[in-house]
Structure formats: C-alpha cells, structure tokens
Amino acid sequence: MSFITKLKETHRRLTGSTIETELTCYQNILGDINKLKSEFANKSDNQLKNASQKLRERARDNESPDNLWVEAFALVREAIRRVLKLHPFDVQLIGGIVMQQGKLAEMRTGEGKTLTAVFPVYLNALSGKGVHVLTFNDYLARRDAKWMGPVYEFLGLSVGFVQEGMDIEERKKAYQFDITYLTAKEAGFDFLRDSLCYEHQNIVHRPFHYAIVDEADSILIDEARVPLIIAGAAEDTIADAYRIAHVARQLEEGSDFDFDEYARNFHLMENGLERVERLFNCGNLYAEQNFELLTRLNCAIHAETLLHRDVDYIVRDKKVELVDEFTGRVADKRRWPDGLQAAIEAKENIDIQSKGNILNSITLQNFLRLYPKLSGMTATASTAEKEFAEFYNLQIVVIPPNRPCIREDKEDIIYQTKAAKNQAVIKEIIEVHKAKRPILVGTRSVEESALLAKALEEQGVNCEVLNAKRDEFEAKIVAQAGKLDAVTISTNMAGRGTDIQLGGTDEKEKQQVLALGGLYVIGTHKHESQRIDNQLRGRAGRQGDPGSSRFFISLEDDLFLKYKLAELLPSNYAIDGQAGEIDDPLVRREVSRVQRIVDGQNLEIKKTLTTYSHLIEQQRKIIFRKRNEILFDDSVLDFYESESPGHFKQLVSKVKRTQLEAACRRISLHFLDKFWSGHLAEIADIREGVHLVRLGGERPVLVFQKLAIDSFDKLQKNIEAEMIRSFNLIKVKDNRIDLDDAGLKAPSSTWTYLINDNTFEGMLGVQLIGNPGLQVGAGIWWPLMLFYPLVRKLSRKK
C-alpha cells in the first residue's frame, strides 16, 4: 500500500468513515481465482458445462457459497471469454467479489458494471432460489438479459426479464428463471399485486433470495422513499376543481399569501382570506363544513405557485406527466398525492383522472429491504455513504478504474444573472463546436433544454435534444454523443446506463476526438446533491479516455434562490452589477456550502420519515404474514368453526368442505384487504397534521406512533368482527355457497402508480424535524388549516 493510500485510510478511520479503498483482502481472493485461469482455459466447452453442473449440485445441497466462489468466478470468466469474446479485467472480478460479500461496489462510468454483475449473479443463482438484477429502466433490463443471457445459458442457468405490460403468466414464467432482470419498480408492483391475490396460483413472485441493484444510487437513494401504490376503482367526489383553480390563479403573492423561508410552504394572509371567502361566498373558510374546500384550495394554490409546466411536469396527450427532479425526464406512471394531482389537471384545464382507493402501498426502500441479501454497484456512492449505511447497512468499496481517469473537471464559472450564464453557455458551445469536439449538455428541465436548443439552432448549431421517456431511442442517441461534431442536450441523465464511446465505432474518428480532448460535458445548473453533479461529469473520461467537464451557474439559479445563498455571504459583501464572471473564492466556497446544507437537511428528512414509516412497515408485515397464512394454510376453517359453530355445522351439512373452505378464504382475504386499505387512508390523514402537536410541546413521532398503534388495534378487531358477521350471512343455493349477500364486492379494476413524494413529503419532513420557517407568527391561519385533517381524524376516532 502506498503512503498516500495509507494516509487516506487513516483519515477515513479517524473521521468514522466506513468506505473501503484498501483492497488487499479482495486481491488475495483474486489471486486464488487467477490460479485457475489456465486450467479452465484448457477445458473443452463440455468440460466447462460439466463443472458448472457440479457446482449447481453442491449449491443445491446447501454448500456455502464461500466454498464455491473461487471456482465459480474462474468458470464465469472463461465462459465470458468464449461466449462474448470479452476479457474481464481484474477490477471487474474484484467488483464481483465485493458484491458477493453483500457490499456496494463503486466503479466509475464505463468500467463494465453490467459484466461485473455476472460473477455474483451466477454464483447466487446456482442454488435455484432465484436472483433479481434490478436495473434503471425496462430497456436496460431487456438489453442486459439478452446481452448476458448467453453466458448464463452456456453454464446451464436460465435467464429472463420482466417488462411493463406483461401479463401474469409471462411474469410468473420470468420469475421462475434462475436469473431475472427487471426494474425495482416492476418487482415492487408485482409484490403489491401478489398481496391482493385471492388464488395462490396467481402469485408471480417466489420467496426473495438475492438482488443486485444496478445504478444503486438512483434506486436506493433517489427513489428510496417513493411509495409504490396499487389502487382500486372508486367514486372520487371532486369539488368544483376548475373553479377553485380559477380562484387560486387570481391570488397574488405578497398581498393574498406569502411563502416561508425556503419557499416550501405558504400561508393565506388576512387580505387573501377575505378575498377567498368573498369569491366562494362560503362564510368562515375554516369552519368544519368548508374543510373539503379548504384542502382543495391549498392544493390549487400549491399547483399554481410552486409547480411549473415543462419544469415539474409536462402535458402530453391531454394528460399530466411528472418530470423526475433527479433525471429531468418524464417519470412513468407517477402522480402527486391527495388532491394535488387533480389540482394540476384543473390548472391545465384537462380531464381530472380518478385517484381511487389505495389498496396497498410500500416504499422502494422498504421493498428492497425484503431481500435477505442485497448488494449493488454505481459510479457515485461515496457522497451518499451515510444514507447507504443508515437505510441499508451497505458498506461501500471503491474499486479503482482499470485505467486511470484523466478527465479534467474544471472550476465552475459563476455569473450574477441567469441571462449572463445562458449567454456564456451558448458562447462556449459555439466556440468548442467549431473544432468539432463532441459536447454533452445537462440541463435542469424540459423547458430549459428546448430553449437552449432553439438558441443554438439560431446560431447554426444543430443538436440532438433528449427530454422524453424513450429509453431505447435515447440510449442509441447518447451512445453517439461522443462522435465528431455531435452536440447533445439532455435533461440530466437521459440514456443512463449507456456508454458513450468516442467516435462511435469508427476508430479513425475516435483518434480525431481523442486529439480534440474527448467528450466535453457542460452542466447548466447545480443539483441539491453533489452526487447528481458527479453523475453528469462521469459521462466523460470513460476507460482512461480524455475528457472534461464544467458547470456554468448563476446566483439566480433556483437552488441558490431557494436556499438563500445571498444570506450566507457577509452582510457587507456586494456582488450586484457584475456582468461578467464572478471569480471569487468566497462565493465558490458558499456555493459548495449550499449543497452541503441541503444534503444534510435532506438526510435528516429521510431519517425522520423513515422513523415514521418503520412502524407502518411492521404493521404491513403482520398483515402480509396473516394473509399468506389464510392463502396457503388449510386450517382457514378453524376460526369460523370456533367463532360460529352452529352456522358452520349447518353449512358443512349442505356443501363440500373444500367449497366452504374457498368461501371462508374469500371472506377472510376480503376484509383483511378492506380494513388495511382503510388503515392506510387513516395513517395518511394523521401524518398530514401530526407535526402541529409540536406547537403544544409534544413530540410528533410519539403522538403518531400512539395513533397508528391504536388504529391498527382497532383494525384487527374490526377484521374479525366483519369476518364473523359476513360468514353468518352465507346461504346455500342450488348446492352452492352464495356470497352475494355477504358484501364481498371487489374493486372493478386496479392499477399501479407511484406517488411523487418530493412535493408534499419534502415539506412534511421539514415540518416533522422542526421547520424554522413554519411559525405561528407567519400566519396563524396556515397552521390551523393544516391541523384540520388531524382534528377530523381524531374526532372520527372518538
């Protein structure tokens, strides 16, 4: 180990970091694998297949993977060489070893993570219990399964993939394969569908065994708190949403309403309150009979003032589609919670879609924790070390690149105004483009990318613009972003998971691009997390190629306005009127400080919300366990026989026991699902207002836990009572059990979607940890308005 490496290791230990950069123990295992290299190279194909079969037999006899992995990894390397004509690097095998140990491998972009995963995937699939490789999108799941599939099949294992739109039989077949590639979202939705099955043969998942998460930072961190929802059709009464949207549009900031410190929340002022009451002719807006109006007005103002078309969402085919704040791309099947989605649809004057009743839900974070063994890989993990450790107990191991990274990450160029920054970006692109050097520009929003493309075209610069959800198309375009003369504008991470090869497949063109300095990546804004910025930088400089990156930012960018960068500077520090670049160490330092502040706050929000969701997740596990007992256990009749022996005896005398068992199973599952759905709705109401107990000196988390436990206790009693009541209504007609009178009407249809939690949940998190901007003095009516859901819920409980 070099002196510098030792110094870094010592510093990490002293600061409490668990990130590993010392790889001696992994290199020792690698040495054992390399000893078998020539032995396997001299074997015939049939001999390799026989060796794989023997490993399978040992694994299925429950021999520990620790006894198999040296031989398994050596076998996989040789299979890759023969089948794919590729030669895995030592660092790729080390990455595989890291993941086999249940850790997170940080490998730079372009280091071949897809190939690296094959090693631990093969080893863990030998047992026949199934391995899931969770990818960033459907396209990558399909691509990687087909790309790596021949290696697994050569070694005697089966491989498949799951895609959105597949029917139950296709999904069930895919999950029965030894290895399944799919998105975490699809795996989670299938889990929720399974949780509502009335027939065990319709369940698609097997018991979870092992999952490898590709692009782990996006799935495990960025998407972690996103709730996956399965909903059932229901009548959704919507007040005059279009009229409410019209009223919200008339309210003026500063006179009718005002924002809190970080523009996350707002409150009605006295003038605004009087104006609303006059326009609706509703009397006291805060009277109990106006609660529905109050809630929907809150959503309408939020939609009008805080959410912007072509930034936070787009309207396509007369439907609102959300834009993911991390990728800048359209988020598939996602919607905002509560009445906010309807408020946006009313704002845009399009048809309001029914929300339906939530039948079940689970966050991606809690879903991924269901896997007994979890590991992952990504290019940007270190900056999220605390989150990986806190939420998944995952340790990060930094794998050095096969070739040293020589990318030049240039200092940010800072401007006073957005206009000056935009002019500088256009000028920079034009100048660099003259030499035909390829450029990739990462923008914040659909709107920004379109405006930039238009400005460049007016200057005679043709460019590709990527900002919609067309994964395969985007991947093909991004793959060509390194070609000579290419200018590609994308919303942050379009085409993620696709390598950008300099010059494409043309070796002569590649040499020209290398001579020009490789791919030039330009960022037009900073993200709340430095990790997201690093993802964009990482598109350049793959596999030792040259490249460079630079961010152009302004003090008027949303991030710095939202978190009040100006207030971090000394009171006597003046930068107004600077038309050119601001080259000041103090400003640079405070720009970085904003990101650290936001990262810290977001971590606290996630930790706080995890505390709240932990209890509900434990309750979900209890319900799910009970549901499985009912679905699979033949003793389902015992409960009814003991609770209603007379009616039970009467029914047994008229129908076969198997028919009665099916009816009792249907009754039990119906009421379990019904009351769990109601419990979720009640918990959502409690969470909306519980932070306000802080005003009375109580701890919100303790109040929430007490209410959630009380609600769950009541749920269990109600389930049993309704099961017995419904059972006693069963009648036998024509030698068949008639369930029509038992009130077992199932939803006419179900659908799945994700709730975008970055809007309400982000605000909720700030409120739960104690938001300094949420003060009674800032407008007494706003806290009272938020308190109504809790008051209503508590009244209902009484």
Side-chain angles (χ1 to χ4, degrees):
M1 190 192 306
S2 69
F3 173 75
I4 297 297
T5 304
K6 287 182 179 179
L7 196 63
K8 288 180 178 179
E9 282 294 312
T10 302
H11 177 263
R12 285 192 177 91
R13 284 196 295 271
L14 290 174
T15 56
S17 174
T18 59
I19 297 175
E20 288 185 62
T21 56
E22 166 52 32
L23 304 178
T24 302
C25 64
Y26 304 104
Q27 289 165 340
N28 291 338
I29 300 171
L30 175 65
D32 293 335
I33 296 169
N34 285 337
K35 289 176 184 177
L36 297 176
K37 187 173 184 179
S38 58
E39 178 185 336
F40 281 109
N42 292 326
K43 289 182 182 292
S44 67
D45 285 359
N46 283 336
Q47 287 175 317
L48 291 178
K49 291 176 181 180
N50 288 336
S52 182
Q53 177 60 29
K54 289 178 181 177
L55 284 177
R56 289 178 68 189
E57 291 170 359
R58 291 167 63 186
R60 294 181 189 199
D61 285 338
N62 296 319
E63 187 169 347
S64 171
D66 293 342
N67 297 335
L68 307 176
W69 68 349
V70 170
E71 189 175 346
F73 276 41
L75 187 58
V76 169
R77 177 170 57 188
E78 182 59 25
I80 288 171
R81 188 184 70 81
R82 295 189 189 190
V83 176
L84 300 181
K85 311 302 179 187
L86 297 173
H87 299 269
F89 305 125
D90 282 355
V91 291
Q92 289 177 302
L93 271 82
I94 290 175
I97 295 167
V98 165
M99 287 189 281
Q100 169 55 27
Q101 293 185 349
K103 298 177 182 178
L104 199 60
E106 179 175 281
M107 302 175 69
R108 289 181 183 269
T109 300
E111 290 296 303
K113 291 187 286 294
T114 303
L115 196 66
T116 298
V118 175
F119 294 91
V121 166
Y122 168 77
L123 175 58
N124 287 274
L126 289 172
S127 66
K129 296 177 181 177
V131 172
H132 293 171
V133 184
L134 304 177
T135 65
F136 190 62
N137 56 47
D138 271 1
Y139 162 68
L140 291 177
R142 184 173 68 252
R143 183 201 72 177
D144 293 353
K146 291 181 177 180
W147 184 13
M148 298 296 125
V151 176
Y152 300 123
E153 289 162 358
F154 177 85
L155 295 172
L157 297 181
S158 58
V159 61
F161 56 88
V162 173
Q163 303 276 277
E164 183 184 354
M166 280 185 169
D167 62 31
I168 289 178
E169 290 306 315
E170 290 174 310
R171 289 172 182 273
K172 196 169 184 177
K173 181 179 177 181
Y175 286 120
Q176 291 301 314
F177 288 126
D178 295 314
I179 300 146
T180 309
Y181 284 79
L182 73 164
T183 64
K185 176 187 69 178
E186 284 301 313
F189 282 149
D190 282 332
F191 173 78
L192 291 178
R193 292 186 191 99
D194 284 351
S195 75
L196 296 175
C197 282
Y198 280 11
E199 305 292 340
H200 62 80
Q201 59 265 30
N202 290 332
I203 291 177
V204 300
H205 271 300
R206 291 192 279 168
F208 293 138
H209 174 225
Y210 175 49
I212 284 183
V213 184
D214 193 6
E215 305 292 357
D217 56 327
S218 286
I219 296 172
L220 297 178
I221 302 299
D222 298 340
E223 300 282 322
R225 290 184 297 113
V226 174
L228 282 68
I229 304 294
I230 185 166
E235 293 184 7
D236 191 17
T237 57
I238 297 175
D240 189 357
Y242 300 102
R243 183 185 175 208
I244 295 172
H246 179 69
V247 170
R249 202 170 294 124
Q250 296 179 58
L251 300 178
E252 298 178 5
E253 180 185 348
S255 59
D256 294 324
F257 66 90
D258 205 358
F259 292 102
D260 73 357
E261 180 182 6
Y262 292 119
R264 292 179 186 256
N265 306 301
F266 55 85
H267 59 270
L268 282 175
M269 302 168 74
E270 290 296 330
N271 187 59
L273 179 62
E274 293 173 2
R275 190 173 184 179
V276 167
E277 291 174 342
R278 184 174 67 254
L279 289 170
F280 284 112
N281 191 28
C282 62
N284 180 7
L285 181 61
Y286 297 100
E288 185 173 356
Q289 67 269 18
N290 289 326
F291 174 76
E292 183 74 9
L293 171 63
L294 185 62
T295 302
R296 295 195 179 279
L297 178 63
N298 171 37
C299 291
I301 297 173
H302 189 110
E304 186 66 36
T305 60
L306 296 178
L307 298 174
H308 307 287
R309 185 169 178 168
D310 290 335
V311 176
D312 301 295
Y313 65 92
I314 65 171
V315 177
R316 183 165 56 185
D317 299 328
K318 296 184 178 180
K319 290 184 178 179
V320 169
E321 298 185 18
L322 278 64
V323 174
D324 187 284
E325 68 169 314
F326 295 107
T327 65
R329 298 166 62 246
V330 174
D332 181 45
K333 294 176 72 175
R334 187 172 301 184
R335 54 189 295 139
W336 279 295
D338 305 315
L340 188 58
Q341 180 79 18
I344 290 287
E345 290 162 345
K347 169 188 173 182
E348 297 295 339
N349 198 31
I350 59 178
D351 289 342
I352 295 173
Q353 306 295 313
S354 173
K355 177 169 74 87
N357 292 327
I358 293 177
L359 303 177
N360 205 353
S361 71
I362 189 171
T363 62
L364 275 174
Q365 181 184 100
N366 285 325
F367 170 69
L368 292 167
R369 283 168 157 174
L370 297 177
Y371 287 91
K373 183 177 179 181
L374 185 71
S375 61
M377 51 190 180
T378 183
T380 48
S382 295
T383 52
E385 175 195 3
K386 292 181 180 178
E387 292 173 82
F388 284 119
E390 178 85 23
F391 303 127
Y392 303 99
N393 196 29
L394 278 174
Q395 189 173 337
I396 298 167
V397 181
V398 179
I399 314 294
N402 183 54
R403 296 177 182 172
C405 179
I406 60 172
R407 184 186 68 240
E408 182 185 4
D409 294 326
K410 300 180 180 179
E411 270 197 336
D412 302 339
I413 297 184
I414 307 172
Y415 292 89
Q416 171 71 21
T417 66
K418 274 188 181 180
K421 177 192 74 173
N422 293 338
Q423 290 175 4
V425 168
I426 293 169
K427 181 180 178 182
E428 179 81 352
I429 293 172
I430 292 171
E431 288 300 314
V432 174
H433 181 64
K434 287 178 182 177
K436 297 190 175 182
R437 183 183 180 186
I439 304 167
L440 175 66
V441 186
T443 64
R444 177 178 179 270
S445 66
V446 175
E447 180 183 45
E448 184 186 357
S449 61
L451 290 173
L452 179 58
K454 182 180 179 181
L456 288 171
E457 286 171 2
E458 290 173 353
Q459 297 293 323
V461 177
N462 293 321
C463 52
E464 290 280 0
V465 183
L466 307 178
N467 53 32
K469 189 186 181 304
R470 294 180 292 171
D471 294 321
E472 188 165 1
F473 169 77
E474 288 183 359
K476 290 176 179 177
I477 297 297
V478 166
Q480 301 300 312
K483 288 183 67 64
L484 203 64
D485 208 33
V487 178
T488 309
I489 301 174
S490 81
T491 45
N492 193 20
M493 295 309 291
R496 188 170 184 181
T498 303
D499 281 343
I500 298 175
Q501 298 186 18
L502 301 186
T505 57
D506 188 323
E507 184 59 32
K508 182 179 177 181
E509 186 174 319
K510 178 180 179 179
Q511 294 306 316
Q512 290 178 275
V513 175
L514 288 172
L516 290 170
L519 179 67
Y520 182 25
V521 170
I522 294 175
T524 64
H525 66 290
K526 288 296 185 88
H527 294 82
E528 290 192 0
S529 173
Q530 190 182 67
R531 177 173 48 80
I532 309 296
D533 295 340
N534 291 340
Q535 289 172 2
L536 182 59
R537 292 187 193 276
R539 304 313 294 265
R542 64 180 294 278
Q543 278 293 319
D545 287 339
S548 58
S549 70
R550 168 162 268 166
F551 281 82
F552 288 74
I553 58 179
S554 84
L555 302 186
E556 291 181 347
D557 288 348
D558 292 348
L559 175 67
F560 304 126
L561 291 179
K562 183 176 180 179
Y563 292 99
K564 302 187 182 299
L565 171 64
E567 293 183 6
L568 298 178
L569 300 172
S571 57
N572 60 348
Y573 189 85
I575 53 177
D576 290 338
Q578 295 192 32
E581 178 186 348
I582 301 173
D583 189 10
D584 189 304
L586 177 62
V587 176
R588 292 185 187 282
R589 186 168 65 248
E590 296 307 324
V591 163
S592 298
R593 186 179 164 201
V594 166
Q595 285 185 308
R596 291 196 301 274
I597 290 171
V598 179
D599 264 340
Q601 186 183 79
N602 285 340
L603 177 58
E604 286 305 310
I605 289 173
K606 289 175 182 177
K607 287 165 66 175
T608 301
L609 291 174
T610 298
T611 301
Y612 280 77
S613 68
H614 177 73
L615 175 61
I616 308 306
E617 176 59 14
Q618 300 312 306
Q619 294 175 344
R620 188 200 60 75
K621 288 180 179 178
I622 292 171
I623 292 294
F624 193 74
R625 190 160 52 244
K626 180 67 176 174
R627 205 179 192 284
N628 276 347
E629 289 173 4
I630 295 170
L631 199 57
F632 293 101
D633 197 336
D634 292 336
S635 63
V636 67
L637 293 178
D638 294 348
F639 170 78
Y640 295 97
E641 187 174 12
S642 63
E643 295 294 332
S644 185
H647 192 55
F648 182 88
K649 187 176 181 180
Q650 182 184 9
L651 292 171
V652 167
S653 67
K654 295 180 179 180
V655 297
K656 291 181 180 179
R657 194 175 181 88
T658 54
Q659 188 180 348
L660 182 58
E661 183 179 308
C664 289
R665 182 172 285 117
R666 177 66 181 267
I667 291 171
S668 300
L669 294 175
H670 174 84
F671 286 109
L672 201 69
D673 295 342
K674 176 182 177 180
F675 282 99
W676 175 245
S677 174
H679 178 67
L680 291 176
E682 185 157 347
I683 291 302
D685 279 352
I686 292 171
R687 274 184 32 154
E688 281 182 18
V690 73
H691 62 279
L692 289 158
V693 302
R694 188 187 300 279
L695 299 174
E698 295 189 74
R699 291 183 60 192
V701 68
L702 297 181
V703 174
F704 174 83
Q705 289 173 344
K706 181 182 183 304
L707 293 175
I709 291 170
D710 289 346
S711 175
F712 191 70
D713 288 343
K714 184 193 294 184
L715 167 149
Q716 295 182 87
K717 294 174 184 176
N718 287 340
I719 288 173
E720 292 187 1
E722 283 299 299
M723 284 164 58
I724 297 166
R725 184 194 65 79
S726 183
F727 175 77
N728 288 329
L729 293 175
I730 288 179
K731 297 177 182 178
V732 177
K733 295 180 181 178
D734 301 324
N735 296 319
R736 296 177 61 86
I737 291 179
D738 184 5
L739 295 176
D740 290 343
D741 294 332
L744 305 182
K745 186 178 180 182
S748 57
S749 63
T750 62
W751 63 93
T752 55
Y753 60 92
L754 299 96
I755 288 182
N756 190 73
D757 69 341
N758 294 317
T759 306
F760 277 158
E761 292 280 14
M763 295 187 299
L764 175 64
V766 171
Q767 292 159 357
L768 292 175
I769 65 175
N771 179 11
L774 186 67
Q775 303 292 341
V776 177
I780 187 65
W781 293 114
W782 173 243
L784 288 176
M785 184 172 85
L786 282 179
F787 194 69
Y788 254 80
L790 183 59
V791 170
R792 181 180 65 158
K793 185 55 57 183
L794 293 175
S795 299
R796 188 185 304 162
K797 289 174 71 66
K798 291 178 182 177

